Structure formats: C-alpha cells, structure tokens
Amino acid sequence: MRKVHNWDEWIDYFRYWQDSIGLDRQELRRFKFEVKFGEPEATNIEFGHYQGQQKWPTLMHIPDQRIRDALQNLIVYQGDTEFASVEQQRNLLTNPPSDYDLQSITRVMCEEMRHGWQMSYLLCEHFGDEGKREAQKLLERRAEEGERLLGSFNEIVDNWLDFFTYTQFIDRDGKFQLKMLSVSAFDPLARSMGPMLKEESYHLGTGNSGLLRVVKAGRVEPELIQKFFNKWVPTAFDLFGTDHSSSAQWAYVWGLKGRFDERENSMTPDKALLNDYARQLYRDECVRLVDRLNDYLPDRDRWLKVPDIKFNRRIGQHARQQYTVDGQPMSPERYDAYLASVTPGASDYARLHEIMKDRDWIEQRKASQN
Ligand SMILES: [Fe+2]
Ligand SMILES: [Fe+2]
C-alpha cells in the first residue's frame, strides 16, 4: 500500500478512489478541489473550560494532547461520512426518475466529495503524518464492505425512495453535526462549517421536496414509504451517539463541539445528556417535516410518522431492545417478525422497483438549462 506524503499524492489517491467506486460521470470526474472557509463568526472560544480565550488557529495553540486527539477524531468521523455517502449514492446515477433528479444527485455527490476534501485538507494541513494517514484512510474504508465508521453509512441505498429518505433524514443529521462543529474552538474547523452548511441545506431540500413529490404523486403507498422511514430514522438517532456519552461531554468541556443551538441557548447544558438533547431537537424537526407530508394524505389512518427514539436502536440505552415504531415495549419472541414487517424486505424492494418502472411514481420536475 502506497503512502500519502503530500497533496498531489492524496489527489492521485482520490482519483483512484473515484475509479474504484466506478464514478465515471463526467461532471463527477471534473470535480474541482476547493477548500472554503467562511468569515469567523466569533474570535473567542464560545463555551466550555477555555471560554473567552482566543480561538485556536493551529494545533500548536491547543493546550492539551487529549484535546488534539479528540479534535482529530471529530474531523475523521465527519470526513468518513462524506465519502461514504458518495459510495452509497453512486448506484442511483444509472436510473434517475428525471434529468432534474440526475442534476441534483450529481450536485449532492460533488458537494459531499468537497466536504470530504475539506476534512482531508484539515487533517493533512494540521495533523502531521498521522493526519495524512487518516486522510488516506478516508478513501480506503468502503461503505459496501461495512467498513465506514458509523452505522447509517454502511446501509444500502437501493433506490430513489431510499435516496430521498436518506437526504431528508441522514443529511439532516449532518446539518446538526456541522452546526455543532460551527462553534468549535478550533478556528479552521469552525470556519469550514459555514460553506458546508450552505451546501448541506441543498441536500436536505432535495430529500424533503423529493418525498413531497412522491407523496403528491400518490403511486407509492404511505405504508411502503413508512417502512423506509423505519429503516433510516433509527440509524440517524444512533448518529447522535450514546446517552451519557463521556466523549460528548469532553468535546463540550474542551470547546470542540457545542450544542445545536449553542449561540441562542443561554441555559447551562446538562453535560451528561448532550447527545440526547441534540437527538430530541433533531426528532422534533423531523416531526414537523413529516407533518407537512401528511397534509397531502387525506386518510388520517395512513399518516406517516417519525419512529419513536427507542425503536430499533443499535447504540445507547435502548440498543437491541424490543420496542414498536411507536415506542411500546414488545415481547422478544414476537419482535423479529414484527421488525421484518415494519422495515423494507425483499418483496417491498421488488414492488417498489416495479412501481418505479413508470415515470408517474414521482411528480416530475424540469431540469435547469445550465
Ligand atoms: Fe456533506
Ligand atoms: Fe449532505
């Protein structure tokens, strides 16, 4: 295995990664390497133990090795999700429902690559040889091998309903993570977030409007859409981390990662419950968006819902326990069959593929001309 020593070598490696995952659409190949930093929104550290001191412009300014390690870890996790999502979405390039959708997925994938590049840039620029090694590893783990660092990013994105559900719920988790990093004490990370958040909002919009278009078209029954919500949303809850997480607590104390509403929230946080706090805010936002979808579903009994936080979790206090989508406890003997009945199975995928053969399963949009 060759080793990345400098930018040129990383970029070669990136091209090799593009080849190896089969990205040959020209727009994706012509990817421009652009690092973007927003204007500083605060010059002093905004919360935690070092509050009031000047933000750290380089690693040398960070007073403790443990803080540098935790910071590197946050950047690695963020970067890993960016490249993973491109691996997950690439299969959809061959069967877009319209040119409009092909344009928008191409934009989403280019921006995810840019986000991955931005994180790789920080790693290579600030974290020495170890940072370069980590930036290289971002291109070596593979979603389809289950090697990505977080559960959602090893799941299969099989079809365009998956894609819209993914961009609605998983990219929305991304928005929460980026916002929490945007108040970081490490200035280059904090200033990376403004431009990333701006791009990310397009991804969420793609998911939200995609789902609206599917619901309005009325071909895919709500019960089938619900199964895809049940597939993805619990993995998004997991992305917020464990309950009572000590690493979240330290990241807060050290000023590396704040609350989603850090700048507006004047209350002292319960530092033991930071992840739960973010997870709940995230769920509330999802509920509001799903309510808007239900405006187009006249039959109340068929309304879509956001699963309860306890349903089908893999990490945290509810991990591997048996709860219904509504959060009711269930007997372990019945649970496996229940879970199979509320998440998409082989026959659901087959049925969806069948529906998707016609173009009328989604409200059509026109592609822009540029
Ligand atoms: Fe991203
Ligand atoms: Fe995204």
Side-chain angles (χ1 to χ4, degrees), residues 82 85 89 108 111-112 115 166-167 170-172 174-175 178 196 199-204:
E82 310 289 357
S85 67
Q89 292 168 6
V108 169
E111 288 172 349
E112 302 299 18
H115 298 170
Y166 182 99
T167 39
I170 308 300
D171 286 77
R172 191 167 303 280
K175 174 182 93 169
L178 301 181
M196 283 171 74
E199 289 160 345
E200 205 60 42
S201 72
Y202 177 77
H203 312 172
L204 323 178

PDB file of all heavy atoms in Angstrom, residues 82 85 89 108 111-112 115 166-167 170-172 174-175 178 196 199-204, ligand 2:
ATOM      1  N   GLU A  82     -18.702  11.734   4.627  1.00  0.00           N
ATOM      2  CA  GLU A  82     -18.823  12.441   3.348  1.00  0.00           C
ATOM      3  C   GLU A  82     -18.499  11.499   2.183  1.00  0.00           C
ATOM      4  O   GLU A  82     -19.273  11.384   1.234  1.00  0.00           O
ATOM      5  CB  GLU A  82     -17.882  13.654   3.307  1.00  0.00           C
ATOM      6  CG  GLU A  82     -17.968  14.588   4.525  1.00  0.00           C
ATOM      7  CD  GLU A  82     -19.253  15.406   4.591  1.00  0.00           C
ATOM      8  OE1 GLU A  82     -20.077  15.295   3.665  1.00  0.00           O
ATOM      9  OE2 GLU A  82     -19.431  16.144   5.580  1.00  0.00           O
ATOM     10  N   SER A  85     -21.088   8.608   1.825  1.00  0.00           N
ATOM     11  CA  SER A  85     -22.385   8.881   1.207  1.00  0.00           C
ATOM     12  C   SER A  85     -22.280   8.830  -0.320  1.00  0.00           C
ATOM     13  O   SER A  85     -23.218   8.410  -0.994  1.00  0.00           O
ATOM     14  CB  SER A  85     -22.961  10.209   1.694  1.00  0.00           C
ATOM     15  OG  SER A  85     -22.176  11.277   1.239  1.00  0.00           O
ATOM     16  N   GLN A  89     -24.533   6.432  -2.743  1.00  0.00           N
ATOM     17  CA  GLN A  89     -25.483   7.007  -3.704  1.00  0.00           C
ATOM     18  C   GLN A  89     -25.143   6.721  -5.160  1.00  0.00           C
ATOM     19  O   GLN A  89     -25.969   6.926  -6.043  1.00  0.00           O
ATOM     20  CB  GLN A  89     -25.557   8.528  -3.475  1.00  0.00           C
ATOM     21  CG  GLN A  89     -26.202   8.854  -2.136  1.00  0.00           C
ATOM     22  CD  GLN A  89     -26.046  10.310  -1.727  1.00  0.00           C
ATOM     23  OE1 GLN A  89     -25.537  11.120  -2.496  1.00  0.00           O
ATOM     24  NE2 GLN A  89     -26.473  10.626  -0.522  1.00  0.00           N
ATOM     25  N   VAL A 108     -25.316  16.951  -5.345  1.00  0.00           N
ATOM     26  CA  VAL A 108     -25.154  16.452  -3.973  1.00  0.00           C
ATOM     27  C   VAL A 108     -23.834  15.685  -3.852  1.00  0.00           C
ATOM     28  O   VAL A 108     -23.039  15.919  -2.934  1.00  0.00           O
ATOM     29  CB  VAL A 108     -26.352  15.561  -3.551  1.00  0.00           C
ATOM     30  CG1 VAL A 108     -26.069  14.834  -2.240  1.00  0.00           C
ATOM     31  CG2 VAL A 108     -27.634  16.388  -3.433  1.00  0.00           C
ATOM     32  N   GLU A 111     -20.779  17.877  -3.909  1.00  0.00           N
ATOM     33  CA  GLU A 111     -20.602  18.625  -2.662  1.00  0.00           C
ATOM     34  C   GLU A 111     -20.143  17.725  -1.525  1.00  0.00           C
ATOM     35  O   GLU A 111     -19.339  18.140  -0.682  1.00  0.00           O
ATOM     36  CB  GLU A 111     -21.906  19.358  -2.318  1.00  0.00           C
ATOM     37  CG  GLU A 111     -22.132  20.526  -3.280  1.00  0.00           C
ATOM     38  CD  GLU A 111     -23.482  21.204  -3.149  1.00  0.00           C
ATOM     39  OE1 GLU A 111     -24.379  20.672  -2.459  1.00  0.00           O
ATOM     40  OE2 GLU A 111     -23.657  22.278  -3.761  1.00  0.00           O
ATOM     41  N   GLU A 112     -20.619  16.476  -1.519  1.00  0.00           N
ATOM     42  CA  GLU A 112     -20.134  15.554  -0.476  1.00  0.00           C
ATOM     43  C   GLU A 112     -18.636  15.300  -0.664  1.00  0.00           C
ATOM     44  O   GLU A 112     -17.889  15.216   0.309  1.00  0.00           O
ATOM     45  CB  GLU A 112     -20.900  14.223  -0.489  1.00  0.00           C
ATOM     46  CG  GLU A 112     -22.405  14.319  -0.305  1.00  0.00           C
ATOM     47  CD  GLU A 112     -22.863  14.925   1.017  1.00  0.00           C
ATOM     48  OE1 GLU A 112     -22.071  15.595   1.704  1.00  0.00           O
ATOM     49  OE2 GLU A 112     -24.048  14.749   1.341  1.00  0.00           O
ATOM     50  N   HIS A 115     -16.869  18.195   0.733  1.00  0.00           N
ATOM     51  CA  HIS A 115     -16.828  18.150   2.199  1.00  0.00           C
ATOM     52  C   HIS A 115     -15.747  17.178   2.677  1.00  0.00           C
ATOM     53  O   HIS A 115     -15.042  17.448   3.646  1.00  0.00           O
ATOM     54  CB  HIS A 115     -18.188  17.734   2.772  1.00  0.00           C
ATOM     55  CG  HIS A 115     -19.301  18.691   2.444  1.00  0.00           C
ATOM     56  ND1 HIS A 115     -20.624  18.412   2.694  1.00  0.00           N
ATOM     57  CD2 HIS A 115     -19.278  19.924   1.878  1.00  0.00           C
ATOM     58  CE1 HIS A 115     -21.371  19.438   2.295  1.00  0.00           C
ATOM     59  NE2 HIS A 115     -20.574  20.355   1.790  1.00  0.00           N
ATOM     60  N   TYR A 166     -32.955   9.202   2.704  1.00  0.00           N
ATOM     61  CA  TYR A 166     -31.589   9.402   3.199  1.00  0.00           C
ATOM     62  C   TYR A 166     -31.241  10.887   3.274  1.00  0.00           C
ATOM     63  O   TYR A 166     -30.754  11.371   4.288  1.00  0.00           O
ATOM     64  CB  TYR A 166     -30.640   8.673   2.247  1.00  0.00           C
ATOM     65  CG  TYR A 166     -29.171   8.707   2.601  1.00  0.00           C
ATOM     66  CD1 TYR A 166     -28.575   7.619   3.239  1.00  0.00           C
ATOM     67  CD2 TYR A 166     -28.366   9.787   2.253  1.00  0.00           C
ATOM     68  CE1 TYR A 166     -27.216   7.626   3.538  1.00  0.00           C
ATOM     69  CE2 TYR A 166     -27.013   9.802   2.550  1.00  0.00           C
ATOM     70  CZ  TYR A 166     -26.441   8.722   3.182  1.00  0.00           C
ATOM     71  OH  TYR A 166     -25.106   8.735   3.474  1.00  0.00           O
ATOM     72  N   THR A 167     -31.500  11.611   2.187  1.00  0.00           N
ATOM     73  CA  THR A 167     -31.123  13.030   2.222  1.00  0.00           C
ATOM     74  C   THR A 167     -32.017  13.798   3.209  1.00  0.00           C
ATOM     75  O   THR A 167     -31.549  14.714   3.880  1.00  0.00           O
ATOM     76  CB  THR A 167     -31.176  13.676   0.813  1.00  0.00           C
ATOM     77  OG1 THR A 167     -32.304  13.168   0.107  1.00  0.00           O
ATOM     78  CG2 THR A 167     -29.927  13.382   0.032  1.00  0.00           C
ATOM     79  N   ILE A 170     -30.750  11.559   6.945  1.00  0.00           N
ATOM     80  CA  ILE A 170     -29.329  11.371   7.295  1.00  0.00           C
ATOM     81  C   ILE A 170     -28.546  12.660   7.030  1.00  0.00           C
ATOM     82  O   ILE A 170     -27.730  13.085   7.840  1.00  0.00           O
ATOM     83  CB  ILE A 170     -28.710  10.169   6.537  1.00  0.00           C
ATOM     84  CG1 ILE A 170     -29.574   8.914   6.732  1.00  0.00           C
ATOM     85  CG2 ILE A 170     -27.269   9.924   6.989  1.00  0.00           C
ATOM     86  CD1 ILE A 170     -29.744   8.464   8.165  1.00  0.00           C
ATOM     87  N   ASP A 171     -28.801  13.309   5.899  1.00  0.00           N
ATOM     88  CA  ASP A 171     -28.158  14.605   5.679  1.00  0.00           C
ATOM     89  C   ASP A 171     -28.616  15.624   6.719  1.00  0.00           C
ATOM     90  O   ASP A 171     -27.873  16.528   7.083  1.00  0.00           O
ATOM     91  CB  ASP A 171     -28.428  15.134   4.268  1.00  0.00           C
ATOM     92  CG  ASP A 171     -27.626  14.368   3.228  1.00  0.00           C
ATOM     93  OD1 ASP A 171     -28.033  13.247   2.900  1.00  0.00           O
ATOM     94  OD2 ASP A 171     -26.591  14.876   2.770  1.00  0.00           O
ATOM     95  N   ARG A 172     -29.841  15.460   7.193  1.00  0.00           N
ATOM     96  CA  ARG A 172     -30.324  16.382   8.239  1.00  0.00           C
ATOM     97  C   ARG A 172     -29.542  16.160   9.530  1.00  0.00           C
ATOM     98  O   ARG A 172     -29.208  17.116  10.233  1.00  0.00           O
ATOM     99  CB  ARG A 172     -31.829  16.196   8.466  1.00  0.00           C
ATOM    100  CG  ARG A 172     -32.459  17.276   9.332  1.00  0.00           C
ATOM    101  CD  ARG A 172     -33.976  17.223   9.255  1.00  0.00           C
ATOM    102  NE  ARG A 172     -34.442  17.343   7.884  1.00  0.00           N
ATOM    103  CZ  ARG A 172     -34.555  18.506   7.215  1.00  0.00           C
ATOM    104  NH1 ARG A 172     -34.298  19.625   7.824  1.00  0.00           N
ATOM    105  NH2 ARG A 172     -34.942  18.511   5.959  1.00  0.00           N
ATOM    106  N   GLY A 174     -26.540  15.336   9.407  1.00  0.00           N
ATOM    107  CA  GLY A 174     -25.305  16.034   9.026  1.00  0.00           C
ATOM    108  C   GLY A 174     -25.397  17.512   9.360  1.00  0.00           C
ATOM    109  O   GLY A 174     -24.472  18.093   9.923  1.00  0.00           O
ATOM    110  N   LYS A 175     -26.522  18.111   9.045  1.00  0.00           N
ATOM    111  CA  LYS A 175     -26.701  19.531   9.365  1.00  0.00           C
ATOM    112  C   LYS A 175     -26.506  19.777  10.862  1.00  0.00           C
ATOM    113  O   LYS A 175     -25.844  20.732  11.262  1.00  0.00           O
ATOM    114  CB  LYS A 175     -28.103  19.994   8.948  1.00  0.00           C
ATOM    115  CG  LYS A 175     -28.416  21.422   9.374  1.00  0.00           C
ATOM    116  CD  LYS A 175     -29.824  21.871   9.011  1.00  0.00           C
ATOM    117  CE  LYS A 175     -30.807  21.631  10.146  1.00  0.00           C
ATOM    118  NZ  LYS A 175     -32.110  22.283   9.926  1.00  0.00           N
ATOM    119  N   LEU A 178     -22.776  19.490  11.727  1.00  0.00           N
ATOM    120  CA  LEU A 178     -21.999  20.636  11.229  1.00  0.00           C
ATOM    121  C   LEU A 178     -22.272  21.880  12.068  1.00  0.00           C
ATOM    122  O   LEU A 178     -21.359  22.636  12.396  1.00  0.00           O
ATOM    123  CB  LEU A 178     -22.342  20.931   9.762  1.00  0.00           C
ATOM    124  CG  LEU A 178     -22.106  19.822   8.734  1.00  0.00           C
ATOM    125  CD1 LEU A 178     -22.469  20.306   7.332  1.00  0.00           C
ATOM    126  CD2 LEU A 178     -20.682  19.311   8.751  1.00  0.00           C
ATOM    127  N   MET A 196     -20.036  24.589   4.282  1.00  0.00           N
ATOM    128  CA  MET A 196     -20.564  23.216   4.245  1.00  0.00           C
ATOM    129  C   MET A 196     -22.056  23.199   4.575  1.00  0.00           C
ATOM    130  O   MET A 196     -22.838  22.495   3.942  1.00  0.00           O
ATOM    131  CB  MET A 196     -19.792  22.308   5.214  1.00  0.00           C
ATOM    132  CG  MET A 196     -18.427  21.892   4.695  1.00  0.00           C
ATOM    133  SD  MET A 196     -17.416  21.048   5.931  1.00  0.00           S
ATOM    134  CE  MET A 196     -18.211  19.429   6.010  1.00  0.00           C
ATOM    135  N   GLU A 199     -24.145  24.272   1.611  1.00  0.00           N
ATOM    136  CA  GLU A 199     -24.300  23.194   0.627  1.00  0.00           C
ATOM    137  C   GLU A 199     -25.211  22.092   1.166  1.00  0.00           C
ATOM    138  O   GLU A 199     -26.064  21.554   0.451  1.00  0.00           O
ATOM    139  CB  GLU A 199     -22.929  22.644   0.248  1.00  0.00           C
ATOM    140  CG  GLU A 199     -22.150  23.648  -0.585  1.00  0.00           C
ATOM    141  CD  GLU A 199     -20.639  23.420  -0.601  1.00  0.00           C
ATOM    142  OE1 GLU A 199     -20.112  22.664   0.227  1.00  0.00           O
ATOM    143  OE2 GLU A 199     -19.978  24.039  -1.456  1.00  0.00           O
ATOM    144  N   GLU A 200     -25.025  21.795   2.432  1.00  0.00           N
ATOM    145  CA  GLU A 200     -25.823  20.724   3.043  1.00  0.00           C
ATOM    146  C   GLU A 200     -27.317  21.037   2.958  1.00  0.00           C
ATOM    147  O   GLU A 200     -28.135  20.140   2.768  1.00  0.00           O
ATOM    148  CB  GLU A 200     -25.389  20.554   4.509  1.00  0.00           C
ATOM    149  CG  GLU A 200     -25.650  19.184   5.099  1.00  0.00           C
ATOM    150  CD  GLU A 200     -24.938  18.065   4.356  1.00  0.00           C
ATOM    151  OE1 GLU A 200     -23.765  18.224   3.985  1.00  0.00           O
ATOM    152  OE2 GLU A 200     -25.572  17.033   4.125  1.00  0.00           O
ATOM    153  N   SER A 201     -27.667  22.318   3.081  1.00  0.00           N
ATOM    154  CA  SER A 201     -29.094  22.656   3.080  1.00  0.00           C
ATOM    155  C   SER A 201     -29.737  22.278   1.738  1.00  0.00           C
ATOM    156  O   SER A 201     -30.919  21.948   1.675  1.00  0.00           O
ATOM    157  CB  SER A 201     -29.316  24.131   3.411  1.00  0.00           C
ATOM    158  OG  SER A 201     -28.904  24.918   2.325  1.00  0.00           O
ATOM    159  N   TYR A 202     -28.942  22.288   0.675  1.00  0.00           N
ATOM    160  CA  TYR A 202     -29.473  21.830  -0.612  1.00  0.00           C
ATOM    161  C   TYR A 202     -29.808  20.328  -0.559  1.00  0.00           C
ATOM    162  O   TYR A 202     -30.816  19.887  -1.113  1.00  0.00           O
ATOM    163  CB  TYR A 202     -28.469  22.115  -1.744  1.00  0.00           C
ATOM    164  CG  TYR A 202     -28.942  21.598  -3.083  1.00  0.00           C
ATOM    165  CD1 TYR A 202     -29.914  22.287  -3.803  1.00  0.00           C
ATOM    166  CD2 TYR A 202     -28.453  20.405  -3.599  1.00  0.00           C
ATOM    167  CE1 TYR A 202     -30.376  21.798  -5.016  1.00  0.00           C
ATOM    168  CE2 TYR A 202     -28.905  19.909  -4.812  1.00  0.00           C
ATOM    169  CZ  TYR A 202     -29.865  20.610  -5.514  1.00  0.00           C
ATOM    170  OH  TYR A 202     -30.329  20.122  -6.711  1.00  0.00           O
ATOM    171  N   HIS A 203     -28.970  19.569   0.130  1.00  0.00           N
ATOM    172  CA  HIS A 203     -29.207  18.121   0.202  1.00  0.00           C
ATOM    173  C   HIS A 203     -30.495  17.819   0.954  1.00  0.00           C
ATOM    174  O   HIS A 203     -31.305  17.000   0.537  1.00  0.00           O
ATOM    175  CB  HIS A 203     -28.037  17.399   0.877  1.00  0.00           C
ATOM    176  CG  HIS A 203     -26.705  17.800   0.355  1.00  0.00           C
ATOM    177  ND1 HIS A 203     -25.522  17.405   0.926  1.00  0.00           N
ATOM    178  CD2 HIS A 203     -26.359  18.597  -0.696  1.00  0.00           C
ATOM    179  CE1 HIS A 203     -24.513  17.927   0.243  1.00  0.00           C
ATOM    180  NE2 HIS A 203     -24.988  18.649  -0.733  1.00  0.00           N
ATOM    181  N   LEU A 204     -30.685  18.513   2.075  1.00  0.00           N
ATOM    182  CA  LEU A 204     -31.914  18.302   2.848  1.00  0.00           C
ATOM    183  C   LEU A 204     -33.127  18.695   2.019  1.00  0.00           C
ATOM    184  O   LEU A 204     -34.164  18.033   2.040  1.00  0.00           O
ATOM    185  CB  LEU A 204     -31.968  19.167   4.103  1.00  0.00           C
ATOM    186  CG  LEU A 204     -30.704  19.423   4.874  1.00  0.00           C
ATOM    187  CD1 LEU A 204     -31.018  20.347   6.039  1.00  0.00           C
ATOM    188  CD2 LEU A 204     -30.148  18.123   5.374  1.00  0.00           C
TER     189      LEU A 204
HETATM  190 FE    FE B   2     -25.040  16.075   2.529  1.00  0.00          FE
END
